[in-house]
Amino acid sequence: MPPRFFVDLPLAAGASLSLPPGASRHAQVLRLQPGDPVTLFDGSGGDWQAEIAEMGRKVVDVTIGAFEARDPELALAVTLAVGMPANERMDDLVEKATELGVARIQPLMCERSVLRLSGERAEKKREHWQAVAVSACEQSGRTRVPVIEPVRTLAAWLREAVPADARRVVLSTSESPPLPAVPAGAVVALSGPEGGLSPAEEQAARGAGFEPASLGPRVLRADTAPLAALAIWSLGGLTA
C-alpha cells in the first residue's frame, strides 16, 4: 500500500505540487524515489493517487493522478469533550480517538485537572494535538481530519460552545443508566480528568442537558473512558 500524506490544499487530477514540510520529511525518511506511488488526501473526503516527480533535499514534488471516492468515516459525528489527562496521555487519547473515527475533540480544564494550559502554551499544545490527529489519519486511512478545538474551561464550554444539535452524554462514575445507543446524527460525550468531574461540575453538565451514562462497574482512567464510549459507538455495539 502506498504511503498516505495529508495535504491541506485543494487537489486536482493532473496538477503538480510540492508536499508540505511534514509530508516531505516523511517521504525523505521512507527514501521514496521519483516514480514511486503515494496517496494524498485533503480532508474533504476521498483519496488522490499520485506519483513522486522529484526528490530534492528539502522539497518533494508530486504529480496528482486519479481520484478514489471512498468514505471510511462514521455515520455518527462524535465530539469528545475531555478533561485533559496529564503527561503524554492526551497525545495517546487524540491518536486513538482519531483512529476510532472521532469528529471533534474539545480539551477541557476542570476543577480536578492536573494539566492546566492557557495563552500561547495552550495554542501550541492544540497545534501539536492537531498534528497528532493528522498523522493518525494518514496511518489509519481516514479521509477527514478531526478538529482539535482550543482549550477551554469546562464552565466556559458549557456556557458558550456545546454543539446545540447533538445528543449530550456525561460519563459518570455514579449510579447511572448504561451508555445509550446513538444510531445516527451527532453526540457529545463529556468525560472528566484524573479524579473525575466534581459533583458540582456533573450537576452543571446535567443542567446543560447532559444525560448521565455509565460504562460499567469499573472506574476507567481519564484517557480510557472516552475511548471506550467512542469504540462502542464506532463499532455499532448497541442498538437503538
Side-chain angles (χ1 to χ4, degrees):
M1 179 181 297
R4 299 180 76 244
F5 300 121
F6 174 67
V7 177
D8 193 13
L9 295 168
L11 302 176
S16 298
L17 59 82
S18 296
L19 293 180
S24 292
R25 286 193 296 273
H26 192 183
Q28 298 280 4
V29 169
L30 293 174
R31 299 183 181 277
L32 298 180
Q33 299 298 319
D36 285 346
V38 295
T39 300
L40 306 181
F41 67 105
D42 60 9
S44 63
D47 284 333
W48 292 87
Q49 303 309 312
E51 184 178 284
I52 301 291
E54 185 174 348
M55 292 287 295
R57 297 186 66 179
K58 293 185 178 180
V59 177
V60 177
D61 294 331
V62 300
T63 301
I64 303 172
F67 177 70
E68 178 186 356
R70 64 184 195 86
D71 185 15
E73 302 299 314
L74 300 183
L76 175 65
V78 181
T79 296
L80 294 182
V82 296
M84 299 176 292
N87 302 319
E88 303 303 317
R89 288 180 175 167
M90 186 64 180
D91 287 23
D92 293 339
L93 191 158
V94 170
E95 179 183 73
K96 302 311 178 189
T98 300
E99 292 175 13
L100 289 167
V102 74
R104 290 180 180 271
I105 298 176
Q106 173 61 67
L108 296 172
M109 287 188 293
C110 306
E111 288 183 25
R112 297 170 177 169
S113 291
V114 174
L115 181 59
R116 295 189 173 275
L117 302 169
S118 62
E120 184 179 351
R121 183 165 173 248
E123 177 55 20
K124 285 185 176 180
K125 275 292 189 182
R126 188 204 66 79
E127 291 173 355
H128 168 72
W129 292 327
Q130 190 68 71
V132 170
V134 166
S135 179
C137 285
E138 291 175 339
Q139 178 275 324
S140 64
R142 288 193 62 177
T143 59
R144 299 183 187 273
V145 180
V147 175
I148 311 300
E149 299 285 1
V151 176
R152 293 183 172 92
T153 64
L154 173 59
W157 179 70
L158 289 175
R159 186 172 60 249
E160 303 166 359
V162 181
D165 57 349
R167 187 169 180 176
R168 306 177 183 192
V169 175
V170 55
L171 303 180
S172 177
T173 56
S174 61
E175 187 172 341
S176 302
L179 187 74
V182 185
V187 61
V188 180
L190 169 60
S191 183
E194 295 90 342
L197 299 174
S198 71
E201 287 176 324
E202 186 165 331
Q203 189 59 40
R206 294 188 188 204
F210 283 80
E211 56 187 293
S214 170
L215 289 169
R218 294 173 299 283
V219 177
L220 304 181
R221 288 185 179 273
D223 52 325
T224 304
L227 294 177
L230 177 58
I232 290 171
W233 287 327
S234 68
L235 296 174
L238 295 175
T239 57

